[in-house]
Amino acid sequence: MLGIFQHTVAQAPEELHSPAVPPSPGAALRQPKKPDDILKDFLAAYSGHSFSASFAAGAALAFVSVHSPHTSSHPRLFCSFDDVYCMFVGSLNNLSSLIRQYGLGSKSTNEALLVIEAYRTLRDRGPYPADQVVKDLSGSFAFVVYDNKAGTVFAALSSDGGVPLFWGIAADGSVVICDDLNLVKASCGKSYAPFPTGCMFHSEGGLRSFEHPLNKLKAMPRVDSEGVMCGASFKVDTYSRINSMPRVGSAADWTSWEGSC
């Protein structure tokens, strides 16, 4: 799966950006690409087994069919409802109980539709904080939700790291989120890294840990095999706590996360 979101839709943490440096002798210079070129590369890499959708607000989604011989063994789903789109890779162990919790029809509801419903509940000021809703998802998963009405993106990766997910910065500053490491490396130059496990990212709330919602995340510099700075990894800082994690109710928007990473 691939999601590309322009600066007006989402802004990645500043630490994910790596300064351009000359390559070491004999090494090729890898420059970040523009979103259109990244999307073309993805569709070419999975030719005949992929599709894409672009949105006027500055977002593009691309997905690989479950029938593609080039994908991993993880289940893959792409769904949309009420102008909210979800790309989901992996599975939930507690899908049945979550379907009952959200009052959905069990026969037609899969993981992607469940995540859309959970997102819509949060967006429309549901009774739980975002970290608790995501933490209730039990299993190995990665998902990217794009809300075309609100022009926002919401992504998360399970804490077990069973599903790969990466993110980086395109040439124009767009955020790139993808489960194909080779594509991210080729698309984002040195400004890329693994998406942190047990974390969620929202256009307005930024990057947060849903496993440890009261702790800030600390950026850890990454160095590649050539000894060059390459994005940043984000780890929970056990010594730095957020003052409060607001509960979500009728008087507060769920995206109003206090503190910064």
mmCIF file of all heavy atoms in Angstrom, residues 157-188:
data_model
loop_
_atom_site.group_PDB
_atom_site.id
_atom_site.type_symbol
_atom_site.label_atom_id
_atom_site.label_comp_id
_atom_site.label_asym_id
_atom_site.label_seq_id
_atom_site.Cartn_x
_atom_site.Cartn_y
_atom_site.Cartn_z
ATOM 1 N N LEU A 157 0.394 1.513 13.344
ATOM 2 C CA LEU A 157 1.102 0.244 13.200
ATOM 3 C C LEU A 157 1.051 -0.497 14.525
ATOM 4 O O LEU A 157 1.321 0.083 15.581
ATOM 5 C CB LEU A 157 2.557 0.484 12.787
ATOM 6 C CG LEU A 157 3.438 -0.755 12.604
ATOM 7 C CD1 LEU A 157 2.937 -1.621 11.456
ATOM 8 C CD2 LEU A 157 4.891 -0.354 12.365
ATOM 9 N N SER A 158 0.702 -1.775 14.476
ATOM 10 C CA SER A 158 0.586 -2.566 15.702
ATOM 11 C C SER A 158 1.916 -2.645 16.438
ATOM 12 O O SER A 158 2.993 -2.501 15.857
ATOM 13 C CB SER A 158 0.076 -3.977 15.385
ATOM 14 O OG SER A 158 0.974 -4.650 14.514
ATOM 15 N N SER A 159 1.836 -2.902 17.728
ATOM 16 C CA SER A 159 3.027 -2.881 18.573
ATOM 17 C C SER A 159 3.937 -4.077 18.366
ATOM 18 O O SER A 159 5.111 -4.038 18.750
ATOM 19 C CB SER A 159 2.614 -2.795 20.048
ATOM 20 O OG SER A 159 1.757 -3.885 20.384
ATOM 21 N N ASP A 160 3.426 -5.155 17.746
ATOM 22 C CA ASP A 160 4.249 -6.352 17.596
ATOM 23 C C ASP A 160 5.199 -6.290 16.400
ATOM 24 O O ASP A 160 6.102 -7.116 16.279
ATOM 25 C CB ASP A 160 3.371 -7.601 17.491
ATOM 26 C CG ASP A 160 2.546 -7.635 16.211
ATOM 27 O OD1 ASP A 160 2.452 -6.584 15.521
ATOM 28 O OD2 ASP A 160 1.996 -8.706 15.889
ATOM 29 N N GLY A 161 5.011 -5.316 15.526
ATOM 30 C CA GLY A 161 5.887 -5.197 14.373
ATOM 31 C C GLY A 161 5.740 -6.315 13.369
ATOM 32 O O GLY A 161 6.623 -6.524 12.529
ATOM 33 N N GLY A 162 4.619 -7.018 13.400
ATOM 34 C CA GLY A 162 4.432 -8.153 12.501
ATOM 35 C C GLY A 162 4.208 -7.766 11.050
ATOM 36 O O GLY A 162 4.411 -8.569 10.144
ATOM 37 N N VAL A 163 3.766 -6.545 10.822
ATOM 38 C CA VAL A 163 3.530 -6.034 9.476
ATOM 39 C C VAL A 163 4.502 -4.885 9.222
ATOM 40 O O VAL A 163 4.586 -3.966 10.041
ATOM 41 C CB VAL A 163 2.076 -5.546 9.303
ATOM 42 C CG1 VAL A 163 1.876 -4.921 7.928
ATOM 43 C CG2 VAL A 163 1.103 -6.703 9.505
ATOM 44 N N PRO A 164 5.244 -4.907 8.129
ATOM 45 C CA PRO A 164 6.194 -3.816 7.867
ATOM 46 C C PRO A 164 5.486 -2.548 7.417
ATOM 47 O O PRO A 164 4.483 -2.600 6.703
ATOM 48 C CB PRO A 164 7.071 -4.386 6.749
ATOM 49 C CG PRO A 164 6.180 -5.356 6.026
ATOM 50 C CD PRO A 164 5.303 -5.960 7.095
ATOM 51 N N LEU A 165 6.012 -1.402 7.840
ATOM 52 C CA LEU A 165 5.484 -0.117 7.389
ATOM 53 C C LEU A 165 6.616 0.904 7.483
ATOM 54 O O LEU A 165 7.375 0.909 8.455
ATOM 55 C CB LEU A 165 4.298 0.332 8.245
ATOM 56 C CG LEU A 165 3.518 1.540 7.715
ATOM 57 C CD1 LEU A 165 2.848 1.203 6.385
ATOM 58 C CD2 LEU A 165 2.470 2.003 8.713
ATOM 59 N N PHE A 166 6.709 1.744 6.469
ATOM 60 C CA PHE A 166 7.776 2.740 6.400
ATOM 61 C C PHE A 166 7.182 4.088 6.002
ATOM 62 O O PHE A 166 6.098 4.153 5.433
ATOM 63 C CB PHE A 166 8.845 2.311 5.382
ATOM 64 C CG PHE A 166 9.352 0.929 5.599
ATOM 65 C CD1 PHE A 166 8.737 -0.159 4.984
ATOM 66 C CD2 PHE A 166 10.431 0.692 6.432
ATOM 67 C CE1 PHE A 166 9.195 -1.451 5.198
ATOM 68 C CE2 PHE A 166 10.889 -0.596 6.661
ATOM 69 C CZ PHE A 166 10.264 -1.672 6.041
ATOM 70 N N TRP A 167 7.912 5.145 6.318
ATOM 71 C CA TRP A 167 7.479 6.462 5.892
ATOM 72 C C TRP A 167 8.681 7.327 5.580
ATOM 73 O O TRP A 167 9.802 7.048 6.014
ATOM 74 C CB TRP A 167 6.548 7.111 6.887
ATOM 75 C CG TRP A 167 7.083 7.414 8.270
ATOM 76 C CD1 TRP A 167 8.210 6.909 8.876
ATOM 77 C CD2 TRP A 167 6.498 8.314 9.218
ATOM 78 N NE1 TRP A 167 8.348 7.415 10.140
ATOM 79 C CE2 TRP A 167 7.322 8.281 10.374
ATOM 80 C CE3 TRP A 167 5.384 9.121 9.214
ATOM 81 C CZ2 TRP A 167 7.048 9.038 11.507
ATOM 82 C CZ3 TRP A 167 5.098 9.876 10.332
ATOM 83 C CH2 TRP A 167 5.925 9.823 11.473
ATOM 84 N N GLY A 168 8.424 8.372 4.779
ATOM 85 C CA GLY A 168 9.507 9.250 4.381
ATOM 86 C C GLY A 168 8.970 10.542 3.801
ATOM 87 O O GLY A 168 7.768 10.820 3.848
ATOM 88 N N ILE A 169 9.879 11.340 3.244
ATOM 89 C CA ILE A 169 9.544 12.654 2.727
ATOM 90 C C ILE A 169 9.882 12.714 1.239
ATOM 91 O O ILE A 169 11.015 12.435 0.835
ATOM 92 C CB ILE A 169 10.320 13.760 3.468
ATOM 93 C CG1 ILE A 169 10.166 13.598 4.980
ATOM 94 C CG2 ILE A 169 9.848 15.127 3.019
ATOM 95 C CD1 ILE A 169 8.755 13.720 5.478
ATOM 96 N N ALA A 170 8.905 13.093 0.414
ATOM 97 C CA ALA A 170 9.111 13.234 -1.025
ATOM 98 C C ALA A 170 9.827 14.562 -1.318
ATOM 99 O O ALA A 170 10.076 15.374 -0.421
ATOM 100 C CB ALA A 170 7.771 13.184 -1.756
ATOM 101 N N ALA A 171 10.130 14.785 -2.591
ATOM 102 C CA ALA A 171 10.894 15.964 -2.992
ATOM 103 C C ALA A 171 10.181 17.266 -2.660
ATOM 104 O O ALA A 171 10.821 18.288 -2.392
ATOM 105 C CB ALA A 171 11.207 15.893 -4.483
ATOM 106 N N ASP A 172 8.853 17.253 -2.681
ATOM 107 C CA ASP A 172 8.099 18.474 -2.410
ATOM 108 C C ASP A 172 7.666 18.593 -0.955
ATOM 109 O O ASP A 172 6.872 19.474 -0.613
ATOM 110 C CB ASP A 172 6.876 18.544 -3.325
ATOM 111 C CG ASP A 172 5.841 17.466 -3.008
ATOM 112 O OD1 ASP A 172 6.199 16.490 -2.326
ATOM 113 O OD2 ASP A 172 4.684 17.601 -3.439
ATOM 114 N N GLY A 173 8.154 17.702 -0.097
ATOM 115 C CA GLY A 173 7.789 17.729 1.313
ATOM 116 C C GLY A 173 6.598 16.878 1.673
ATOM 117 O O GLY A 173 6.207 16.811 2.842
ATOM 118 N N SER A 174 5.996 16.192 0.695
ATOM 119 C CA SER A 174 4.860 15.312 0.970
ATOM 120 C C SER A 174 5.281 14.149 1.858
ATOM 121 O O SER A 174 6.411 13.653 1.780
ATOM 122 C CB SER A 174 4.276 14.768 -0.338
ATOM 123 O OG SER A 174 3.724 15.791 -1.122
ATOM 124 N N VAL A 175 4.347 13.691 2.686
ATOM 125 C CA VAL A 175 4.576 12.517 3.514
ATOM 126 C C VAL A 175 4.256 11.267 2.694
ATOM 127 O O VAL A 175 3.187 11.177 2.076
ATOM 128 C CB VAL A 175 3.690 12.547 4.778
ATOM 129 C CG1 VAL A 175 3.937 11.306 5.628
ATOM 130 C CG2 VAL A 175 3.958 13.798 5.584
ATOM 131 N N VAL A 176 5.170 10.314 2.696
ATOM 132 C CA VAL A 176 4.993 9.047 1.986
ATOM 133 C C VAL A 176 4.904 7.935 3.015
ATOM 134 O O VAL A 176 5.800 7.786 3.854
ATOM 135 C CB VAL A 176 6.169 8.783 1.016
ATOM 136 C CG1 VAL A 176 5.989 7.439 0.311
ATOM 137 C CG2 VAL A 176 6.294 9.910 0.004
ATOM 138 N N ILE A 177 3.835 7.146 2.987
ATOM 139 C CA ILE A 177 3.664 6.004 3.891
ATOM 140 C C ILE A 177 3.450 4.768 3.030
ATOM 141 O O ILE A 177 2.545 4.742 2.182
ATOM 142 C CB ILE A 177 2.471 6.209 4.837
ATOM 143 C CG1 ILE A 177 2.608 7.513 5.629
ATOM 144 C CG2 ILE A 177 2.359 5.031 5.812
ATOM 145 C CD1 ILE A 177 1.424 7.819 6.538
ATOM 146 N N CYS A 178 4.259 3.739 3.233
ATOM 147 C CA CYS A 178 4.229 2.583 2.335
ATOM 148 C C CYS A 178 4.760 1.349 3.048
ATOM 149 O O CYS A 178 5.588 1.451 3.953
ATOM 150 C CB CYS A 178 5.072 2.892 1.093
ATOM 151 S SG CYS A 178 5.030 1.640 -0.207
ATOM 152 N N ASP A 179 4.293 0.169 2.620
ATOM 153 C CA ASP A 179 4.807 -1.071 3.200
ATOM 154 C C ASP A 179 5.897 -1.700 2.340
ATOM 155 O O ASP A 179 6.361 -2.799 2.637
ATOM 156 C CB ASP A 179 3.672 -2.075 3.435
ATOM 157 C CG ASP A 179 2.949 -2.477 2.161
ATOM 158 O OD1 ASP A 179 3.134 -1.792 1.130
ATOM 159 O OD2 ASP A 179 2.190 -3.463 2.194
ATOM 160 N N ASP A 180 6.325 -1.002 1.279
ATOM 161 C CA ASP A 180 7.381 -1.490 0.391
ATOM 162 C C ASP A 180 8.660 -0.705 0.681
ATOM 163 O O ASP A 180 8.798 0.454 0.287
ATOM 164 C CB ASP A 180 6.950 -1.305 -1.065
ATOM 165 C CG ASP A 180 7.936 -1.906 -2.060
ATOM 166 O OD1 ASP A 180 9.152 -1.932 -1.769
ATOM 167 O OD2 ASP A 180 7.494 -2.327 -3.146
ATOM 168 N N LEU A 181 9.608 -1.331 1.367
ATOM 169 C CA LEU A 181 10.833 -0.648 1.769
ATOM 170 C C LEU A 181 11.625 -0.162 0.569
ATOM 171 O O LEU A 181 12.129 0.969 0.555
ATOM 172 C CB LEU A 181 11.697 -1.579 2.623
ATOM 173 C CG LEU A 181 13.089 -1.051 2.992
ATOM 174 C CD1 LEU A 181 12.994 0.254 3.762
ATOM 175 C CD2 LEU A 181 13.856 -2.100 3.797
ATOM 176 N N ASN A 182 11.766 -0.990 -0.451
ATOM 177 C CA ASN A 182 12.558 -0.596 -1.613
ATOM 178 C C ASN A 182 11.981 0.641 -2.293
ATOM 179 O O ASN A 182 12.718 1.514 -2.753
ATOM 180 C CB ASN A 182 12.654 -1.756 -2.610
ATOM 181 C CG ASN A 182 13.472 -2.910 -2.073
ATOM 182 O OD1 ASN A 182 14.410 -2.706 -1.298
ATOM 183 N ND2 ASN A 182 13.122 -4.130 -2.462
ATOM 184 N N LEU A 183 10.654 0.718 -2.365
ATOM 185 C CA LEU A 183 10.023 1.877 -2.988
ATOM 186 C C LEU A 183 10.272 3.134 -2.170
ATOM 187 O O LEU A 183 10.575 4.199 -2.721
ATOM 188 C CB LEU A 183 8.524 1.644 -3.144
ATOM 189 C CG LEU A 183 7.805 2.789 -3.864
ATOM 190 C CD1 LEU A 183 7.887 2.585 -5.363
ATOM 191 C CD2 LEU A 183 6.377 2.912 -3.429
ATOM 192 N N VAL A 184 10.160 3.043 -0.839
ATOM 193 C CA VAL A 184 10.383 4.202 0.012
ATOM 194 C C VAL A 184 11.830 4.678 -0.098
ATOM 195 O O VAL A 184 12.103 5.880 -0.202
ATOM 196 C CB VAL A 184 10.023 3.882 1.475
ATOM 197 C CG1 VAL A 184 10.394 5.049 2.394
ATOM 198 C CG2 VAL A 184 8.544 3.582 1.608
ATOM 199 N N LYS A 185 12.772 3.752 -0.101
ATOM 200 C CA LYS A 185 14.186 4.121 -0.217
ATOM 201 C C LYS A 185 14.456 4.826 -1.537
ATOM 202 O O LYS A 185 15.190 5.818 -1.598
ATOM 203 C CB LYS A 185 15.060 2.878 -0.095
ATOM 204 C CG LYS A 185 15.112 2.286 1.297
ATOM 205 C CD LYS A 185 15.899 0.975 1.330
ATOM 206 C CE LYS A 185 17.352 1.182 0.978
ATOM 207 N NZ LYS A 185 18.129 -0.078 1.106
ATOM 208 N N ALA A 186 13.868 4.317 -2.612
ATOM 209 C CA ALA A 186 14.087 4.903 -3.927
ATOM 210 C C ALA A 186 13.361 6.233 -4.090
ATOM 211 O O ALA A 186 13.745 7.057 -4.927
ATOM 212 C CB ALA A 186 13.633 3.930 -5.019
ATOM 213 N N SER A 187 12.330 6.457 -3.282
ATOM 214 C CA SER A 187 11.475 7.637 -3.451
ATOM 215 C C SER A 187 11.854 8.809 -2.564
ATOM 216 O O SER A 187 11.600 9.962 -2.910
ATOM 217 C CB SER A 187 10.018 7.269 -3.168
ATOM 218 O OG SER A 187 9.570 6.230 -4.011
ATOM 219 N N CYS A 188 12.445 8.524 -1.409
ATOM 220 C CA CYS A 188 12.624 9.560 -0.392
ATOM 221 C C CYS A 188 14.080 9.901 -0.093
ATOM 222 O O CYS A 188 14.359 10.595 0.895
ATOM 223 C CB CYS A 188 11.920 9.138 0.899
ATOM 224 S SG CYS A 188 10.148 8.835 0.684
#
